[in-house]
Amino acid sequence: MTDPKAAPDHPAPRPSAAVPERVTIATRKSPLALWQAEFVAASLKAAHPGLVVSLMTMQTSGDRFLDASLAEKGGKGLFVKELETALLDGRADLAVHSMKDVPVELPQGLAITAILDRHDPRDAFVSNRFGRFEALPPGAVVATSSLRRAAQLRAMRPDLAIVPLRGNVNTRLRKLDDGEFDAAVLAVSGLTRLGFSDRIASAFEPTQMLPAIAQGALGIESRVDDAPVSALVSCLDHPATHDVVRAERTLNAALGGGCHLPVAAFAAYTDEAQTQIEVNALVADTTGERILRDRLQGPRAEAVALGARLADNLLAAGAGALLEAVRQDAS
């Protein structure tokens, strides 16, 4: 069985260190990334009156490589690499990420210090002509940036044309409005954060389309040895979210997965006291013709172990061969 002790994102201890008077947040330049960084900055200033927060905007490799799929260029880790370099060389104190973009392995010396309360984790069906995915006619064109979404869409509707889509949220919506495709699938959280909730025709429930690992959750990354900054951001950590995200990311790490592979997982509480969780997961091929699914329930205290056990179950069912085939296709 996969060793759960190797799981990523163990909650950092909350050190008793004096908080700094000013911090710099590294962020991408996209509208959604800026919204997220500004949200964290405002939350920190509300929690620490007098704190000075500045943003360092950067263009990442993921923002530059728009002429090819993320899988071909190395995955969504391209969206965080330059931000992490700024942390390691001291130009920035924090980086704010969509946790679904964060690779399972972090550079030595960095840690996810806090994970905020999770927003809506679902995927959104966006169309100007059709209110529901089921209403699309045969042959309709649906655009998505994700192999995970594409595989599940093809499994549900093999009669549709699923095409790749890159660019920020605004660009994707513009392409839809220009008639390049009939519908698109994006994250509910990103659309809502940018004020585009009215563009959501309907949302896929997790029972229909399993979300990406950690979709809807924001994370704060900082240096392991920077105790004052860890103390500063500890007030933003949401333990209930942190635990379910750890379960999902543990599964991904145990599968040897990445942000660009057709792997999905969603952990949710099954009781009001939030003591029990259920973890659902799937691994697919790119065609959607073969999808492996499994789920486990157990105590919240065993979230990491549940993620590891579920990964072991999927590997025993053949997930490793499916993922290796996807990697070979992308290389």
Side-chain angles (χ1 to χ4, degrees):
M1 178 175 173
T2 305
D3 182 5
K5 294 180 181 178
D9 309 333
H10 285 282
R14 305 184 186 281
S16 55
V19 299
E21 296 181 354
R22 60 179 63 241
V23 291
T24 298
I25 298 176
T27 177
R28 295 167 56 206
K29 294 180 178 180
S30 74
L32 181 56
L34 286 172
W35 185 98
Q36 293 170 170
E38 289 167 355
F39 177 79
V40 169
S43 299
L44 286 173
K45 288 190 284 188
H48 305 286
L51 177 70
V52 177
V53 182
S54 58
L55 301 186
M56 174 187 292
T57 59
M58 309 178 71
Q59 185 179 46
T60 67
S61 299
D63 298 310
R64 292 193 294 270
F65 297 144
L66 296 177
D67 58 342
S69 71
L70 290 174
E72 293 172 344
K73 290 296 185 179
K76 289 187 177 180
L78 295 172
F79 288 129
V80 304
K81 182 179 178 181
E82 283 84 354
L83 307 185
E84 291 177 331
T85 298
L87 289 177
L88 290 169
D89 65 21
R91 286 176 292 147
D93 305 294
L94 306 172
V96 177
H97 307 299
S98 293
M99 282 302 298
K100 71 175 184 177
D101 293 341
V102 179
V104 292
E105 292 185 9
L106 301 178
Q108 185 175 0
L110 299 181
I112 300 298
T113 315
I115 297 179
L116 282 65
D117 190 3
R118 192 175 203 165
H119 195 262
D120 194 325
R122 297 177 298 171
D123 290 297
F125 175 73
V126 182
S127 176
N128 296 328
R129 299 173 54 202
F130 305 97
R132 296 177 301 109
F133 176 68
E134 295 79 5
L136 288 169
V141 180
V142 181
T144 175
S145 63
S146 161
L147 292 180
R148 168 194 63 85
R149 290 175 183 144
Q152 294 183 81
L153 291 169
R154 290 186 176 112
M156 289 187 283
R157 291 285 306 273
D159 60 314
L160 300 178
I162 311 300
V163 300
L165 174 64
R166 291 292 311 279
N168 60 41
V169 172
N170 305 65
T171 298
R172 297 179 193 187
L173 292 176
R174 177 181 53 76
K175 289 182 177 181
L176 174 65
D177 293 341
D178 288 345
E180 294 187 21
F181 35 82
D182 298 297
V185 180
L186 296 85
V188 167
S189 57
L191 290 166
T192 303
R193 285 166 179 159
L194 289 176
F196 292 130
S197 57
D198 61 331
R199 299 299 303 267
I200 301 174
S202 57
F204 293 95
E205 294 302 323
T207 52
Q208 296 174 283
M209 181 179 292
L210 209 57
I213 306 292
Q215 185 159 297
L218 295 182
I220 301 175
E221 188 176 18
S222 62
R223 292 183 294 277
V224 172
D225 61 0
D226 195 338
V229 167
S230 294
L232 181 82
V233 303
S234 64
C235 62
L236 301 187
D237 188 61
H238 190 256
T241 297
H242 209 138
D243 285 346
V244 293
V245 167
R246 288 177 66 212
E248 296 168 17
R249 283 175 57 81
T250 297
L251 175 137
N252 203 25
L255 288 174
C259 310
H260 62 291
L261 293 174
V263 175
F266 180 57
Y269 293 100
T270 59
D271 62 328
E272 291 186 5
Q274 296 185 328
T275 62
Q276 300 289 316
I277 66 171
E278 178 177 276
V279 189
N280 282 266
L282 70 79
V283 175
D285 64 10
T286 55
T287 67
E289 294 179 0
R290 189 177 181 200
I291 296 182
L292 302 176
R293 301 177 187 267
D294 204 348
R295 64 180 181 177
L296 284 177
Q297 292 187 3
R300 172 179 171 178
E302 299 177 9
V304 167
L306 284 171
R309 282 169 48 202
L310 190 53
D312 286 339
N313 291 351
L314 288 167
L315 288 169
L322 280 183
L323 294 177
E324 182 57 31
V326 174
R327 293 188 188 97
Q328 291 296 327
D329 288 343
S331 63

